[in-house]
Amino acid sequence: MIRTSTLILLLCAVSAQAKPNVLFITVDDLNNDLGCYGHSLVKSPNVDRLASRGIRFDHAYCQYPVCNPSRSSFMTGYYPQQTGVLSNGGNFRKKMPNVVTLPQRFKKAGYFVARVGKIYHYGVPVQIGTSGKDDPQSWHKVVNPRGVDREVHDKIHTLEKGKFGGTLSWLKIDSKDIEHTDGIGATEAIKLLEAHDPKKTKKPFFLAVGFYRPHTPYVAPSHHFKLYPTEKIKPVLEKPGDRDDIPLAALADRPKQRELTLAKRKEIIQAYYASISLMDAQVGRLLDALDRLKLRDNTIIVFVSDHGYHLGHHGLWQKGDLFEGSARVPLIIADPRSRIRGKSTKAITELVDLAPTLVELCGLQKGAKLPGQSVSEILRDPKKPGRLAAYTVAWSRGGRMHKAIRGKKILGTTVRTLRYRYTEWGMNGKYGRELYDYQEDPDEFVNLARKSGHEKTLKRMKKLLSNAQKIATSRP
């Protein structure tokens, strides 16, 4: 006969194996310039490898195109207006002290839960190596890597002297990947995978790994720069007349960035792409570790950026606006239990959808109702339609550079359907409206909001925006 204690251990082992692990990879300031998204120059073989194992979301959108508001949103499962975090300075616990975050849900379900690197907000690069604006309640264990990239600030090229995180800044250094913060982070994450292998601990894990690159400053090893000869880089240049019909509130300009020469643009983009390849190599190390430890078949992997990033489109660089380049993000979800792999979906998806999706996929208790929508059906059938529209919000940065609206606090709200984007700046578009038709105008060159013949589309999009706002501002 089997002893009671032995039987309990066996049942625990079965239960642990029945619950999938989660590897939650977040990337900082990464746009969709990746091989698996069709970019002809960027080398991202490991992210591409992950995409071949899961579903690539072609229309995934953040809820606020700045680090802290976005991360606070998808880590809690609530919209920025619900968390109260609409800047890099906020903390969601002030407005929602008792909210159960995504990792806390896994803690409650008996998972080992850990963080390596930037998951909640860190001020990059100054707060690298610290816990930044972390949420201690979310984790059993945290690791704050700090590498050679944090020690070279005196050598960094920057458009604004003494500034690195909020402006364009870059540096090529002779170094090894494993010496950089992201390389050290990958090493530490692999150690956690080895130490908390459910086959040994009888306990599933939720491991969140936050990579810093390609956030400014774009510091990367020389060998990654060699992948991108500047003669092959073709920067997006501002089209004559492009900004003539764009509201000033929509133009999140930054000092000196419209003055860049073609050669300087190439140099900056080269560094950004080199940083992507540095990050990609670390993703590869994590995937290899899962394979080596035989964890691949029971580990759901999420790969996501906190928001998009501009490299010159509309004369804009970096983030914080409500154009496609800033609001759209790469998102890949790989569930090894699914037979559907290596496919893409056009389904409109929001990052607040991640929390309910993982709760469902892992069979956790749902707890408080979340406003997001699980995409589990899309993982089973990528042709499923998804949402009608994705909602994103941002305070205007235009007042920093444009005298006509200086000092005005203007909130921008936008919705994106498969074909259109509609944006209002201020209540009822007091400071401007935008309507773009991506089927006819993928570069957002023509603002249709004031052109005749689009009244029905404007009415429909305005209603979608109004409906989205009601959900995003409702009391949790």
Side-chain angles (χ1 to χ4, degrees):
M1 294 180 63
I2 300 177
R3 293 181 180 179
T4 302
S5 59
T6 303
L7 180 60
I8 291 174
L9 288 174
L10 287 172
L11 290 172
C12 288
V14 171
S15 177
Q17 286 302 104
K19 289 184 177 181
N21 309 303
V22 176
L23 177 59
F24 192 82
I25 304 172
T26 67
V27 188
D28 210 353
D29 284 19
L30 175 67
N31 60 22
N32 290 75
D33 289 355
L34 296 164
C36 58
Y37 278 94
H39 200 277
S40 60
L41 185 60
V42 171
K43 306 295 190 298
S44 55
N46 297 294
V47 175
D48 301 349
R49 174 163 47 131
L50 178 59
S52 72
R53 298 182 180 184
I55 302 297
R56 185 191 77 224
F57 288 75
D58 290 347
H59 291 285
Y61 296 91
C62 69
Q63 274 45 81
Y64 196 117
V66 174
C67 299
N68 191 19
S70 178
R71 291 165 181 267
S72 296
S73 176
F74 67 70
M75 291 302 292
T76 61
Y78 292 97
Y79 288 93
Q81 287 147 299
Q82 293 176 312
T83 66
V85 180
L86 289 99
S87 75
N88 274 340
N91 187 309
F92 62 86
R93 290 287 177 192
K94 290 183 179 180
K95 187 173 181 179
M96 307 177 76
N98 299 316
V99 68
V100 179
T101 65
L102 176 59
Q104 279 182 290
R105 289 172 183 264
F106 281 87
K107 283 179 73 175
K108 287 177 177 290
Y111 278 64
F112 168 73
V113 180
R115 167 186 68 76
V116 178
K118 181 177 177 178
I119 298 299
Y120 294 102
H121 185 56
Y122 278 30
V124 177
V126 176
Q127 289 183 323
I128 286 177
T130 76
S131 282
K133 295 182 182 296
D134 192 28
D135 183 57
Q137 296 161 247
S138 289
W139 319 106
H140 290 117
K141 183 176 179 60
V142 301
V143 180
N144 297 313
R146 174 171 173 155
V148 65
D149 47 294
R150 179 63 181 83
E151 314 304 333
V152 292
H153 286 184
D154 58 322
K155 300 177 182 178
I156 290 174
H157 308 289
T158 177
L159 294 189
E160 296 184 79
K161 187 176 180 179
K163 295 183 179 181
F164 308 119
T167 190
L168 297 176
S169 47
W170 65 100
L171 182 67
K172 172 174 61 177
I173 57 174
D174 293 329
S175 54
K176 297 178 180 178
D177 287 10
I178 56 173
E179 298 173 318
H180 286 251
T181 299
D182 282 349
I184 295 170
T187 298
E188 293 299 321
I190 291 168
K191 290 179 181 178
L192 287 173
L193 289 175
E194 293 169 341
H196 295 276
D197 184 337
K199 295 188 295 295
K200 295 186 297 184
T201 65
K202 312 307 177 189
K203 192 173 187 178
F205 62 77
F206 178 100
L207 176 59
V209 182
F211 292 125
Y212 296 87
R213 300 295 168 248
H215 194 292
T216 54
Y218 319 131
V219 181
S222 303
H223 58 271
H224 289 303
F225 278 75
K226 292 178 181 177
L227 297 172
Y228 306 105
T230 53
E231 60 268 22
K232 290 188 177 181
I233 295 173
K234 295 179 171 35
V236 174
L237 300 177
E238 185 182 325
K239 295 180 180 179
D242 180 13
R243 294 161 58 111
D244 292 353
D245 60 0
I246 297 176
L248 290 178
L251 296 171
D253 290 324
R254 296 168 185 259
K256 301 184 179 182
Q257 293 185 358
R258 295 188 70 201
E259 305 167 11
L260 293 168
T261 64
L262 181 61
K264 190 62 68 176
R265 289 168 186 257
K266 290 185 175 185
E267 185 180 347
I268 291 167
I269 293 172
Q270 178 192 48
Y272 182 78
Y273 287 167
S275 297
I276 291 177
S277 289
L278 168 62
M279 174 276 299
D280 177 82
Q282 309 323 304
V283 171
R285 293 177 63 201
L286 295 181
L287 297 182
D288 290 344
L290 288 178
D291 291 348
R292 173 173 58 84
L293 297 169
K294 294 182 170 51
L295 294 170
R296 172 178 172 176
D297 292 339
N298 198 41
T299 301
I300 296 169
I301 305 175
V302 175
F303 175 91
V304 66
S305 176
D306 48 5
H307 47 73
Y309 207 75
H310 283 298
L311 297 172
H313 191 48
H314 299 308
L316 302 174
W317 292 77
Q318 298 183 258
K319 57 200 175 185
D321 57 86
L322 293 180
F323 291 108
E324 185 78 354
S326 198
R328 183 183 176 221
V329 301
L331 171 63
I332 298 167
I333 302 178
D335 185 342
R337 302 167 300 180
S338 174
R339 296 180 181 179
I340 309 298
R341 301 180 183 182
K343 301 293 184 180
S344 64
T345 178
K346 294 181 179 180
I348 295 288
T349 308
E350 296 181 346
L351 294 194
V352 290
D353 297 337
L354 290 175
T357 298
L358 289 173
V359 166
E360 182 176 341
L361 290 178
C362 297
L364 307 188
Q365 291 185 356
K366 292 186 178 181
K369 183 174 174 55
L370 295 169
Q373 301 176 9
S374 171
V375 299
S376 59
E377 287 191 4
I378 295 169
L379 296 176
R380 293 190 292 268
D381 181 3
K383 294 182 180 179
K384 290 282 185 179
R387 291 173 169 272
L388 289 176
Y391 175 78
T392 307
V393 61
W395 288 112
S396 170
R397 295 177 56 91
R400 301 184 184 190
M401 297 292 290
H402 306 290
K403 292 182 180 179
I405 56 172
R406 187 161 294 166
K408 298 184 184 299
K409 198 169 184 180
I410 305 168
L411 186 67
T413 53
T414 187
V415 282
R416 171 66 151 95
T417 65
L418 278 176
R419 180 168 178 175
Y420 296 100
R421 176 179 297 284
Y422 174 67
T423 306
E424 290 184 351
W425 292 98
M427 187 172 292
N428 295 317
K430 178 181 178 180
Y431 293 97
R433 298 189 299 161
E434 299 167 86
L435 176 67
Y436 300 105
D437 180 349
Y438 292 98
Q439 182 174 297
E440 303 295 330
D441 177 30
D443 292 330
E444 304 164 320
F445 187 65
V446 181
N447 181 3
L448 302 172
R450 292 187 177 181
K451 293 184 178 295
S452 62
H454 302 281
E455 290 79 11
K456 288 184 179 179
T457 300
L458 279 167
K459 184 177 181 180
R460 180 171 63 87
M461 295 298 292
K462 187 174 179 63
K463 184 176 181 180
L464 284 173
L465 179 60
S466 177
N467 291 340
Q469 286 176 320
K470 288 178 183 177
I471 295 172
T473 58
S474 62
R475 186 173 180 177

